[in-house]
Amino acid sequence: MSLAKITQVKALALAVPGDDIDTDRIIPARFLRCVTFDGLGEHAFRDERTGPDGKERPHPMNSAQAARIAAAKQGVMVVGFNFGCGSSREHAPQSLWRYGFTAFVGGSFAEIFFGNSTTLGVPCLTLSKEDLAECDAFVRANPDVEVTVDVAQLTVSAGAKTWKASIAASARDGLVNGKWDPIADLLEGADSVAKTAGGLAYVAGK
Amino acid sequence: MAKTLFQKVWEAHTVRKLPNGQTQLFIGTHLIHEVTSPQAFGMLRDLGLKVKYPQRTFATVDHIVPTNELKEPYSDPIAQEMIEALRKNTKDYGIRFFDTTTGTQGIVHMVGPEQGITQPGTTIACGDSHTATHGAFGAIAFGIGTTQVRDVLATQTLALSPLKVRRIEVNGKLAPGVYAKDVILHIIRVLGVNGGIGYAYEYAGTTFDGFSLEERMTVCNMSIEGGARCGYVNPDQKTFDYIKGKPYAPKAADWDAAVARWASFASDAGCQYDDVKVFKAEDIRPTVTWGITPGQAVFIDEKMPALETLNAADRQTAEDAYAHMKLAPDTPIKGTKVDVCFLGSCTNGRISDLREVAKYLKGRKVSPSVKAIVVPGSQLTAIQAVHEGLDKIYIEAGFEWRGAGCSMCLAMNPDKLVGDQLCASSSNRNFKGRQGSQTGRTVLMSPLMVAAAAITGQVTDAREVFKV
Ligand code: SF4
């Protein structure tokens, strides 16, 4: 299986502030009632964007900037700490990715969200608290300036600014080498898998 | 060298090191349900792959099943479509399905233990973050995304990096009216909702030694709410006794060998932990959440925190939480009006929960201002409860007695809050919108505290209401 090498994402950015933004907020459970991921994009952050009365609420996802990202199918979301906590539902990164976000920059990411995003080829890079605040402010003040998320160099840059970023080494490796979906590697190990399985009594029902 | 259970299980299941440095880990037991599996089967078909070890995947249906409508077709066509997709997928690939018609259906994290599928020293994965529940048996069990569900179906392995291990010791005896649920809510309150990121939690100490397997499950269940991908308790005689005789338990000839093997996985004396935290059982009182993350919690007799006492980051979330919950800082949570009471979920929907509450509920009545529902987590639990006459106690008290499923834990079925209703809930998540209404409010607590709320129409101290 050949996959694109994701060394860099260069796109417009949207700041979605707040810590501990959970997957129920990213994609409310009622949109999990489906047998495919198609069409999830339009429901990203649905209940944050639309009030119970059906009217739009002030939310970054309702901005013109968000619409540009949706149209371009390319964008960087700048988030806070512990982004994507809560459930393991892949529907969360799937909905943001289908909406148009192709990279995340934040203070920290919930583990399962991070793994699910990486497997989609969507890098999640981490900045220090101070740098994140600066990046967030920059993005808000300069909506027309593209942000470069450089997975190979481990930097996030915009305009004249460059911030040092980090990401788990295995995720970086997978992205830049076009191996972010592990299925090919996992399939290759079939013989070793059989050997491991053979050593586990319970796999044979014992 | 002395090792932790986590290390031993990890080593026994390591297939090889992957080129990117991660471990290819064998997943001995895979559990699936209707919400996160259909897309994975779709990916499998797209790639032209087969299910590698169909006998190591087990399926049930829980999230979308209506609990007040037992006949099909369901009035909700999407629920019908999802259950039928799972029927087709399990049939096409030869996977055992604990369907609604079998008397064994239930929340996926209850079905595994009930069937004896959940065993010590094993790896368990499921497309659901509360998979850590199975850690109560000394398994390494964690939630995965849908693409990983595909990986397990196709290869029975996952690409993973090992976790650090934090030992959380709780010693002593809980006071009457204080439960396993309070223990985990307290741990999360103290260590924070992201305190566990990068860790597996090993729960230990005399409190856990004394806990039943069902109590251990309640604690392990909420590991993810503390940020930990998985949590476990070392297996002991209680674990083995629980499994014995269950349908998938090792049979007579294999039993002794299995027990010896299981026991050998327990963490060795003197092993190294990456971190250790120690709690005293006597310090824990009935705990309730007041906010929109499970860590925003207080003892029932405490005031909710004043904003000034919080650091900047917590303060922002707290302001958001107070606005959503329509509660005021620095005031007692006790006395808050309750509209709905939900007793159920994979945290507290087991037979021991239903029994404990029923013990106190006899002769009491649900407040007329409250809608109270009790949802046994599985069909086996429901059958047992009816056998013991518990359903009558609940119904006489004014609870609605329902069929098995997730129900109002996440409201993917018709059980939903309406408007800004406040729900006293025995479940595990109080996120905004979690119980089906955008403005709905959730207060997490132990089952007995839910019953006390149902009777008084308020968030209140069950110890006083029931003279515990
Ligand atoms: S009961 Fe709630 S937490 Fe448990 S599996 Fe169902 S929805 Fe998830």
Side-chain angles (χ1 to χ4, degrees):
Chain A
M1 228 171 45
S2 83
L3 300 168
K5 295 184 178 177
I6 299 171
T7 50
Q8 208 185 62
V9 176
K10 190 170 186 229
L12 295 178
L14 180 75
V16 177
D19 296 340
D20 304 321
I21 292 191
D22 58 72
T23 49
D24 279 85
R25 283 159 82 173
I26 298 171
I27 186 83
R30 63 181 182 281
F31 299 114
L32 274 50
R33 293 158 38 84
C34 55
V35 292
T36 80
F37 289 130
D38 300 344
L40 276 185
E42 58 183 295
H43 298 302
F45 283 106
R46 173 54 63 212
D47 290 349
E48 309 264 296
R49 296 164 62 188
T50 319
D53 49 5
K55 290 211 187 84
E56 270 197 6
R57 290 172 159 180
H59 188 275
M61 288 289 282
N62 285 333
S63 63
Q65 183 77 351
R68 284 159 85 187
I69 287 170
K73 286 278 169 244
Q74 261 216 79
V76 178
M77 185 177 277
V78 179
V79 299
F81 283 78
N82 199 24
F83 186 77
C85 61
S87 85
S88 56
R89 65 183 73 152
E90 190 168 314
H91 304 65
Q94 283 274 358
S95 74
L96 295 173
W97 177 61
R98 281 162 197 269
Y99 183 93
F101 291 96
T102 44
F104 294 92
V105 173
S108 63
F109 295 89
E111 247 166 80
I112 304 182
F113 182 91
F114 177 89
N116 285 339
S117 300
T118 308
T119 312
L120 289 175
V122 177
C124 298
L125 268 70
T126 307
L127 297 184
S128 74
K129 199 169 176 171
E130 298 69 37
D131 287 354
L132 181 63
E134 210 178 84
C135 174
D136 179 278
F138 182 93
V139 164
R140 285 168 208 255
N142 304 281
D144 297 332
V145 179
E146 286 189 327
V147 171
T148 304
V149 175
D150 198 316
V151 187
Q153 302 299 323
L154 292 180
T155 57
V156 174
S157 52
K161 302 259 182 206
T162 297
W163 302 281
K164 226 178 110 31
S166 60
I167 184 171
S170 56
R172 177 181 171 277
D173 237 59
L175 290 162
V176 302
N177 295 320
K179 291 201 154 198
W180 33 270
D181 184 334
I183 189 75
D185 276 342
L186 295 179
L187 285 166
E188 259 171 36
D191 290 347
S192 323
V193 173
K195 220 172 122 211
T196 306
L200 297 164
Y202 74 97
V203 172
K206 291 194 174 164
Chain B
M1 205 184 78
K3 289 178 183 158
T4 62
L5 177 140
F6 183 88
Q7 288 166 329
K8 295 186 204 181
V9 175
W10 189 271
E11 283 169 16
H13 292 78
T14 293
V15 173
R16 60 181 188 137
K17 205 152 184 103
L18 293 169
N20 72 353
Q22 285 187 297
T23 301
Q24 180 170 13
L25 195 75
F26 190 81
I27 302 303
T29 301
H30 184 209
L31 307 170
I32 59 172
H33 59 85
E34 76 283 14
V35 180
T36 55
S37 70
Q39 302 86 349
F41 283 107
M43 297 175 193
L44 213 60
R45 289 193 177 96
D46 288 349
L47 293 170
L49 296 170
K50 292 204 163 49
V51 177
K52 188 74 192 285
Y53 290 82
Q55 75 284 9
R56 294 313 304 166
T57 292
F58 304 89
T60 191
V61 53
D62 48 11
H63 288 67
I64 50 96
V65 282
T67 59
N68 55 355
E69 183 187 359
L70 302 178
K71 275 214 183 59
E72 293 182 43
Y74 300 137
S75 46
D76 171 1
I78 301 178
Q80 191 64 37
E81 184 191 351
M82 291 175 81
I83 193 170
E84 271 162 19
L86 189 56
R87 281 188 185 130
K88 174 169 179 2
N89 287 328
T90 49
K91 187 158 172 279
D92 284 0
Y93 291 101
I95 292 166
R96 174 74 202 266
F97 180 27
F98 298 94
D99 201 344
T100 49
T101 50
T102 62
T104 54
Q105 168 266 341
I107 304 173
V108 61
H109 309 310
M110 292 188 53
V111 171
E114 285 173 349
Q115 294 297 324
I117 293 167
T118 302
Q119 296 177 8
T122 62
T123 49
I124 303 179
C126 172
D128 187 281
S129 56
H130 291 101
T131 306
T133 311
H134 305 268
F137 292 80
I140 296 304
F142 44 83
I144 55 177
T146 292
T147 306
Q148 290 177 306
V149 172
R150 173 207 65 183
D151 294 347
V152 180
L153 289 172
T155 72
Q156 206 64 32
T157 64
L158 287 170
L160 293 168
S161 304
L163 298 166
K164 294 181 284 183
V165 181
R166 171 181 288 149
R167 180 177 165 95
I168 299 184
E169 229 178 82
V170 186
N171 294 307
K173 213 173 138 40
L174 294 173
V178 182
Y179 296 97
K181 181 63 162 286
D182 300 303
V183 171
I184 185 62
L185 285 172
H186 183 69
I187 290 171
I188 297 168
R189 174 188 178 183
V190 173
L191 300 181
V193 288
N194 46 34
I197 292 183
Y199 283 101
Y201 278 176
E202 174 176 307
Y203 301 103
T206 58
T207 309
F208 281 97
D209 295 342
F211 272 172
S212 69
L213 265 290
E214 300 208 342
E215 292 172 300
R216 294 177 190 177
M217 282 192 256
T218 297
V219 173
C220 290
N221 174 271
M222 289 189 71
S223 300
I224 189 78
E225 273 66 46
R229 186 95 182 252
C230 69
Y232 66 87
V233 178
N234 283 308
D236 59 12
Q237 193 57 43
K238 282 185 182 171
T239 318
F240 313 144
D241 292 346
Y242 186 102
I243 298 171
K244 193 156 195 179
K246 298 272 191 297
Y248 283 81
K251 297 290 169 288
D254 299 319
W255 178 256
D256 290 342
V259 168
R261 190 173 72 234
W262 291 342
S264 74
F265 277 101
S267 292
D268 298 323
C271 64
Q272 287 290 315
Y273 294 96
D274 297 287
D275 191 33
V276 178
K277 293 275 188 287
V278 182
F279 293 85
K280 277 204 275 227
E282 299 80 46
D283 292 344
I284 304 174
R285 310 208 287 275
T287 301
V288 296
T289 60
W290 54 267
I292 52 168
T293 79
Q296 291 173 319
V298 287
F299 295 140
I300 182 66
D301 46 8
E302 275 181 298
K303 284 182 178 175
M304 295 174 272
L307 291 173
E308 310 78 75
T309 60
L310 303 170
N311 67 35
D314 287 349
R315 185 174 169 147
Q316 203 191 352
T317 321
E319 280 174 2
D320 195 12
Y322 280 124
H324 179 83
M325 295 299 291
K326 303 186 173 145
L327 295 172
D330 206 21
T331 62
I333 181 111
K334 199 172 156 185
T336 303
K337 193 177 162 301
V338 165
D339 306 298
V340 176
C341 288
F342 169 59
L343 179 50
S345 87
C346 59
T347 318
N348 281 124
R350 281 176 278 272
I351 191 71
S352 55
D353 299 308
L354 302 185
R355 281 182 191 141
E356 179 69 11
V357 171
K359 221 165 75 187
Y360 293 98
L361 205 58
K362 242 190 179 137
R364 308 296 289 258
K365 287 277 179 233
V366 169
S367 158
S369 63
V370 169
K371 174 190 163 89
I373 64 172
V374 50
V375 184
S378 68
Q379 290 182 334
L380 283 177
T381 301
I383 292 164
Q384 180 63 26
V386 169
H387 177 73
E388 295 175 23
L390 303 183
D391 57 327
K392 291 203 190 65
I393 298 176
Y394 284 97
I395 293 165
E396 269 161 31
F399 274 83
E400 289 176 33
W401 178 263
R402 296 294 189 80
C406 295
S407 177
M408 209 183 264
C409 175
L410 94 167
M412 275 182 74
N413 75 347
D415 303 324
K416 292 180 182 14
L417 296 183
V418 180
D420 70 352
Q421 278 182 330
L422 188 137
C423 180
S425 183
S426 70
S427 56
N428 46 46
R429 286 196 174 138
N430 54 343
F431 300 150
K432 282 184 185 174
R434 172 75 178 181
Q435 294 189 291
S437 162
Q438 244 175 297
T439 48
R441 299 171 290 161
T442 303
V443 178
L444 302 176
M445 55 184 78
S446 73
L448 194 64
M449 291 283 282
V450 171
I455 284 163
T456 59
Q458 297 178 351
V459 176
T460 189
D461 193 335
R463 296 172 301 182
E464 292 164 8
V465 174
F466 297 115
K467 315 247 173 329
V468 178

